[in-house]
Amino acid sequence: MCIRDSPIPDPSHLEIYRDPGRLGAERRAVRNFIIHKVLKPLPEPEEGEVPVEPAPPEKTSKGKGKNEPEPEEEEPALPEDPAPEYRLFLDEGETRSFKVTFSSQEVGKISQQLGFAMVGTPKESLVIASGQCAYPQISSDPRNVFYKKQKTKKPNEILDRTYVAAKDEFEFGPILIKKDFVGCREATEEADNCTKFRITNNGVFDAKVSFFFANQHEDTSESDANFIIEPAELELGCDETVDVRIWAFPKELGKMEDELMCCVRDNPDPVCFKLSCEGSKPEVGIDQESILFEPLRVGLEHMQELNITNESLLPVKWRLDNLDKLFELKCFTVSKSEGVISPRMTENVQIVFEPTEAGEYSTEICLRVSDLEELCQCDPQVLEVTAESYHIQYQVDLPDADEENAKTINYGLCKVGPNGEHPQEKEIVIHNQGKFDIKYTFAMRKRRFAGHAIDQIFKPDEESEENNFGVLSAEEASRTVKLTMNTCKELELVNNTDIRIKILDAQSSEFICAVPVPISMEAVFSKYRFVPSAINFGSLVYGSSKEKFFDIQNKGLFDFDFELFDQTVGRDHENPVTAESLTPGCFTLKPAFGTVTAGGQLSVQIGFEIEE
């Protein structure tokens, strides 16, 4: 049979089947999302109507007619395929629903694309499935939890309930040891050992939080606990914030550390915060155990300082007791009697002694120290206060005073030498009649007599180690001082008071008084006259001699000595004349030396002889 003669078959429509699985071969496997194929939903029965199970869908197969019924099989209606399949046959206009289950072993937001392909078209439809997996949680951000915080802590810095970011630790700071917890919950004011933490639910689920301390057993009683939190459990809704209170009760001195563990139900990871506190107690140091004043003259004042140093890490309260007895003495004043000292700081207390009469004073004051709430008190420290006051008691006597006037030193008639060769001394006796040392010094006015200052005419004993530089002790009691007068010019003084003795307090060198020393004196030169004033022997025969006389008259008030010498040779000061006569050339003088009494005269024989 020839092919050309064969009849042409009727036209038919064919479709190329492409496996959609190949389109998504390179797609990631679905890990966190499970797709469940859901069968056609059953129609909802009306009121009073008994629901009828739907007949199974008609199936077509090759070689059978379209309307040929299949044998009836009873199959139960399943709401969901027991083994999900990812290939569905949809009738025209049919809608099917899928159930997608989300499950994850990781915390966080998860997103994945689900692809759908239809037979006969290369187009792929994408559905983005996303979900979030999380635990119930609370915020662990220090900026949210702690009210007071700072980045670092300086050396020796004292913090007060502060979070230190560099150490990741919350520090209560120094706290008084052995505090009692009773009444703390009811206290209206926040104590220094109590703080608040802000607990915030920043998760997507309600959270039930329980609090524990890592180094403290759950059954520990409040009296034995170092840290206490209230409330111990919290239930927080989403975005809810509640404050919890935490107390620190150190039992011993030194640093104590613990860790607050915040456990959230259904969350395996607790949130932990490091805690620490420094157990401390009041303790001060003083720079002197007694207040001792040096003997003080009446009318003066002296101040002693008491330095109280806070050696603890807590502020302390101090108070001076028994001040009534001190004030009864009526010569003491205190700058402060109580106060508060910050940690490592010093309080200066000034005690002033200002006596109004001589006497000895002794009493005791008590220093008491405690914390600010007076829960812990240090042992009182007793301070002895001792002082003594006195008057300067002295007397100045003039043993060489004039008989007619016992208060005046009378040098009387004094001889004046051309070079001050005739000094005269008078004695002054100074008495110390008190219990303490006095000091004396001579003071002279700036006046001039006969062209000389008075301190050039009168000179007291110089201050030296022998006279203790003018200090007269109570043991020595009295001292004799010499006042020397020496002048080279004539002058006369009558009851002159330009010379004074200053009496000083030896301890403070303070001026007490000036005692005038009246002086009377008359200083004159020796006066003389030669009679005759010139001698003329006239003409003499060779080989003869002649004698004459001249008188040395004393016109002054003092005896004086004389000595004759040859003017052409000069006087030998070191070897005065001892010969009875002096023979200068052809002249012979007798006597060559002698003494002329006041108002008297002495005749000197002078002879002239020419031998050649």
Side-chain angles (χ1 to χ4, degrees), residues 66-112:
K66 293 182 179 180
N67 298 325
E68 185 177 352
E70 293 285 339
E72 295 183 1
E73 295 181 3
E74 294 183 1
E75 292 181 4
L78 298 176
E80 184 175 302
D81 291 345
E85 296 181 1
Y86 298 103
R87 178 176 293 178
L88 298 176
F89 297 92
L90 299 180
D91 295 333
E92 183 180 356
E94 184 181 359
T95 301
R96 298 289 296 271
S97 298
F98 292 86
K99 183 171 73 173
V100 181
T101 302
F102 172 66
S103 176
S104 175
Q105 299 297 324
E106 299 177 358
V107 175
K109 291 185 177 181
I110 300 173
S111 180
Q112 196 165 10

Side-chain angles (χ1 to χ4, degrees), residues 288-322:
Q288 51 185 336
E289 297 180 354
S290 61
I291 310 299
L292 177 62
F293 288 91
E294 296 293 333
L296 187 67
R297 186 173 62 84
V298 173
L300 301 180
E301 69 175 34
H302 183 65
M303 180 183 67
Q304 287 277 19
E305 293 184 349
L306 176 65
N307 293 313
I308 308 173
T309 303
N310 183 359
E311 298 177 349
S312 69
L313 301 177
L314 294 171
V316 298
K317 181 187 293 185
W318 65 274
R319 183 180 73 252
L320 290 176
D321 288 345
N322 298 337

Side-chain angles (χ1 to χ4, degrees), residues 397-550:
D397 292 337
L398 306 175
D400 293 334
D402 192 356
E403 295 180 356
E404 296 180 358
N405 190 354
K407 296 182 178 180
T408 302
I409 295 179
N410 191 353
Y411 284 88
L413 190 62
C414 303
K415 184 187 297 186
V416 178
N419 298 314
E421 298 93 347
H422 306 289
Q424 294 193 27
E425 297 178 347
K426 295 293 183 179
E427 293 183 347
I428 301 173
V429 181
I430 303 174
H431 302 276
N432 182 1
Q433 300 175 336
K435 295 175 58 178
F436 300 95
D437 299 348
I438 64 172
K439 185 177 182 179
Y440 63 88
T441 182
F442 281 82
M444 302 183 184
R445 293 179 179 175
K446 296 181 179 180
R447 297 178 61 182
R448 304 182 70 84
F449 296 91
H452 292 280
I454 194 170
D455 58 353
Q456 295 178 350
I457 302 172
F458 296 93
K459 294 184 181 297
D461 292 343
E462 293 184 0
E463 295 182 1
S464 62
E465 189 174 354
E466 294 181 0
N467 57 25
N468 199 15
F469 300 98
V471 176
L472 181 58
S473 64
E475 292 77 10
E476 187 177 358
S478 62
R479 181 180 298 169
T480 300
V481 182
K482 293 181 180 181
L483 183 62
T484 302
M485 186 281 301
N486 197 359
T487 180
C488 60
K489 291 189 177 182
E490 290 185 333
L491 61 90
E492 183 179 3
L493 299 176
V494 179
N495 292 331
N496 182 276
T497 57
D498 289 345
I499 301 176
R500 298 188 177 190
I501 301 176
K502 286 185 177 181
I503 304 298
L504 309 176
D505 185 356
Q507 181 179 355
S508 62
S509 297
E510 185 178 359
F511 173 78
I512 303 300
C513 67
V515 180
V517 180
I519 300 292
S520 294
M521 63 163 291
E522 183 181 0
V524 295
F525 284 109
S526 294
K527 299 178 181 180
Y528 60 90
R529 183 180 180 186
F530 292 97
V531 178
S533 59
I535 298 176
N536 187 1
F537 283 90
S539 299
L540 295 178
V541 178
Y542 180 80
S544 63
S545 63
K546 189 176 181 179
E547 295 181 351
K548 286 194 175 185
F549 294 87
F550 68 89

Side-chain angles (χ1 to χ4, degrees), residues 36 117 130 154 175 202 280 336 359 398 519:
H36 302 267
S130 62
K154 299 178 182 178
I175 298 175
N202 63 342
S280 183
K336 294 180 180 179
L398 306 175
I519 300 292

